[in-house]
Amino acid sequence: MFRSLGSVVLLLGAAQGALAQAPHVSAPITDVSYEITADSSAVTRRQLGVVMSFRVTGTAPVVLALPAWSPGHYTLLWFARRVSEFSAQSASAPLEWRKLDYQTWQITPRSAGMVRVSFKYLADAVDRAVAWTAPNFAFFNGTNVFLYPVGRGFTWPARVSIHTQPSWLVATGMDPASGVNNFTASNYHDLTDMPFYVGRFAIDSAQVAGKWIRLAFYPAASLTTARRDRTFAWLQKIVPAHVAVFGDASFRNYTIFQRSDTLVNGGGLEHQSSQVDEVLTSQLDASYLPGLYSHEFFHAWNVKRLRPADMVPYRYDDAQPTTWLWVSEGVTDYYGALALVRGGINDSTGFFNFIAGEIASVAGAPPTAVSDASLSPWINPTDGSSGLYYPKGGLTGFLLDIMIRDASDNRSSLDAVMRTLYNRTYKRGRGFTRTDWWAEVSRAAGGRSFTDFARRYVDGREPLPVEATLRLAGLRARNDTIREPRLGVSPATDTNGVAITQLAPTGAAAAAGARVGDRIVSIGDVAISNDDSFDVFRTRYAGTTLTTLPLVVRRGTETITLQLPVRLFARTQTQVSPIPNAPAKALRIRQGILKGSTS
Ligand SMILES: [Zn+2]
């Protein structure tokens, strides 16, 4: 069923311009420009003021729509629901308008000339795909506010002007135009793929791999010198590893937009020349950050440029499912982790732990074809397979990499597949198809057929051949039972440290006399400074024979040392590790993957 759904979707995708939108085709418009007002008074009301201006040649109705989703965030959000005070005018006189559906407006000009459409946009969503404001700041995506003429394609140019306080900053990936805070884009796809920060945020830049990379952080205080230096040092290791896979970088410059808050839904959203990251305040120094930056950065190639044909071009009015999200997201996860080890941020153990995590995630989900899982973010399934295209796609990419290197005696790799597809599809203005993908995988593997692999493990639900394939790279996966200590608390981290917000009545911390509100200073010899510290504590004392540990807490102005009874709990953990004395060929394959090299 899902396979045939996939082909129906392909047909709809190809025909949507001609069929689905035929009932409402706009009169042509030219000289399109937008003005966004994000000044102090607008953001205090949590609104953006939006004006769209364009020229018409007659009185035929103009049909304008707002997108239903932001590419990369595969969920229908219906941005029109945040619109209020819609109006249209020409030569300062109001024009007739009506809604054709919930996200489409029809405006009737009285004569040839300029038309001006305006509305207010509610900007209070804690969501990377939407818009958010604070008293000194606004963030928005082009998909939220830029109306487009229905049925007229997306290849027309546009100009954007931002009206804001004179002392506030504006950051966007759009090309600057003459004047203050004016920008241009040559087509609607680029226009809506360049998010904006407006207000009082911190910005800094450095050259990485020959390109200018900017950090735009809000609030401004979150970009400390130490974080700036550390982030650029990570990027100096990550970005060259990504460039080495594809052979070039097509973006002119790149921006990391990062907002931190105690309420954000942590994670990132990719764009062609930027990423929008949301980081919990407690996670600003967390160990997962380089992995987040690496994953989102790899998307600048994989999905923003090298993209499944099902999503070329993007449509904005409705869902655009593809069975290939396992490549767009899962393989991005794989290369996100690979760049960390290839660049030297992680050692090989860190990479093996990443693979072990993917294996455990797949094992913990119901048997699901990864191509079916790829279709499902639009419906957010409840059967436990939600998001499975990430770990199962990453693991499938890893196994394919090993098989290609094994078949070619490490003369080729998945890197070569990605690079060739990038050159032969994206650079020729199209998306990749099923035929493109498997033909390149097969070519890289010296002509070996992957028909059976695709049928059983990608489009089918058979368990991936993990053990047999890992062995080809001199690796094995084991399930170990580890006994690790548990505290029995729910912690919350803020700028003052880690506080206990809940205590399990029968837990070890409660038995030691800890109370809700205590701030944990240290456990044994592990200092507790953020959420990551608990992982360090569990690893440090796994299997310990100690019966008590000192638990140091701050209670009000006092610092108290409690005696924590050690209570160990068994947990099954997947581990990936090198096989001792593996054959030379397997070692070449493993080293090739870790270093990004071929023989
Ligand atoms: Zn992603």
Side-chain angles (χ1 to χ4, degrees), residues 367-369 392 452 455-465:
T368 309
K392 194 168 184 182
D452 190 54
R455 182 182 58 77
R456 294 170 66 185
Y457 306 120
V458 175
D459 301 324
R461 292 180 292 278
E462 285 189 47
L464 284 164

Side-chain angles (χ1 to χ4, degrees), residues 481-488 506-508 538 541-543 565-572:
T481 300
I482 51 168
R483 292 171 52 75
E484 59 185 15
R486 299 270 169 87
L487 276 187
T506 58
R538 282 189 289 270
Y541 292 106
V566 174
R567 296 188 181 164
L568 300 179
F569 292 81
R571 183 168 68 86
T572 304

Side-chain angles (χ1 to χ4, degrees), residues 137-158:
F137 179 73
F139 156 67
F140 64 93
N141 286 278
T143 44
N144 308 151
V145 291
F146 296 140
L147 291 157
Y148 63 89
V150 172
R152 288 284 160 193
F154 295 110
T155 55
W156 38 275

Side-chain angles (χ1 to χ4, degrees), residues 243-479:
V243 173
V245 173
F246 293 96
D248 70 14
S250 298
F251 46 85
R252 196 167 42 82
N253 54 42
Y254 190 95
T255 308
I256 295 181
F257 294 98
Q258 178 172 299
R259 183 164 83 81
S260 52
D261 197 327
T262 54
L263 296 172
V264 293
N265 173 19
L269 179 60
E270 71 275 10
H271 299 281
Q272 61 184 281
S273 63
S274 65
Q275 56 184 279
V276 174
D277 298 324
E278 292 179 317
V279 180
L280 283 167
T281 309
S282 60
Q283 299 282 318
L284 271 170
D285 299 305
S287 55
Y288 83 93
L289 282 180
L292 171 68
Y293 298 144
S294 182
H295 174 105
E296 301 304 341
F297 221 121
F298 194 78
H299 275 312
W301 291 268
N302 193 29
V303 93
K304 294 316 305 192
R305 291 183 171 83
L306 171 60
R307 191 184 314 152
D310 309 357
M311 293 197 291
V312 178
Y314 285 127
R315 65 183 296 177
Y316 299 94
D317 61 327
D318 207 343
Q320 196 170 23
T322 172
T323 55
W324 292 92
L325 222 50
W326 68 272
V327 170
S328 299
E329 288 295 352
V331 170
T332 296
D333 240 10
Y334 174 53
Y335 278 98
L338 271 183
L340 300 187
V341 65
R342 288 176 177 177
I345 294 173
N346 275 353
D347 59 13
S348 58
T349 305
F351 176 71
F352 298 150
N353 289 345
F354 164 79
I355 296 295
E358 308 266 86
I359 293 171
S361 296
V362 173
T368 309
V370 76
S371 54
D372 288 346
S374 295
L375 292 166
S376 66
W378 299 98
I379 61 166
N380 194 19
T382 56
D383 67 349
S385 71
S386 175
L388 185 64
Y389 51 89
Y390 285 91
K392 194 168 184 182
L395 184 57
T396 304
F398 179 51
L399 300 188
L400 287 173
D401 202 358
I402 295 173
M403 285 186 283
I404 292 166
R405 289 173 186 269
D406 181 67
S408 66
D409 198 12
N410 201 40
R411 287 191 179 82
S412 194
S413 66
L414 190 64
D415 300 14
V417 173
M418 300 303 286
R419 184 164 54 245
T420 307
L421 283 173
Y422 174 72
N423 288 326
R424 291 192 181 162
T425 64
Y426 162 67
K427 291 210 171 164
R428 293 179 188 176
R430 66 182 184 92
F432 73 87
T433 63
R434 174 188 179 81
T435 305
D436 292 323
W437 173 266
W438 290 118
E440 289 310 331
V441 169
S442 177
R443 195 196 318 265
R448 185 183 149 178
S449 169
F450 282 81
T451 306
D452 190 54
F453 183 92
R455 182 182 58 77
R456 294 170 66 185
Y457 306 120
V458 175
D459 301 324
R461 292 180 292 278
E462 285 189 47
L464 284 164
V466 172
E467 260 177 72
T469 312
L470 256 56
R471 202 177 307 126
L472 301 174
L475 294 170
R476 65 182 170 198
R478 271 201 323 261
N479 282 331

Side-chain angles (χ1 to χ4, degrees), residues 196-214:
F196 279 80
Y197 266 16
V198 179
R200 294 193 184 278
F201 54 92
I203 192 154
D204 210 332
S205 58
Q207 281 227 323
V208 177
K211 305 275 181 176
W212 281 104
I213 299 190
R214 295 186 295 184

Side-chain angles (χ1 to χ4, degrees), residues 1 20 22 29 98-99 161 316 347 396 414 459 489 513 525 545 555 563 570 591-593:
M1 282 304 285
I29 63 173
R98 66 186 180 100
K99 292 286 281 279
S161 301
Y316 299 94
D347 59 13
T396 304
L414 190 64
D459 301 324
V489 304
D525 54 18
T545 54
R555 184 175 294 164
Q563 290 304 310
Q591 284 308 305
I593 289 171

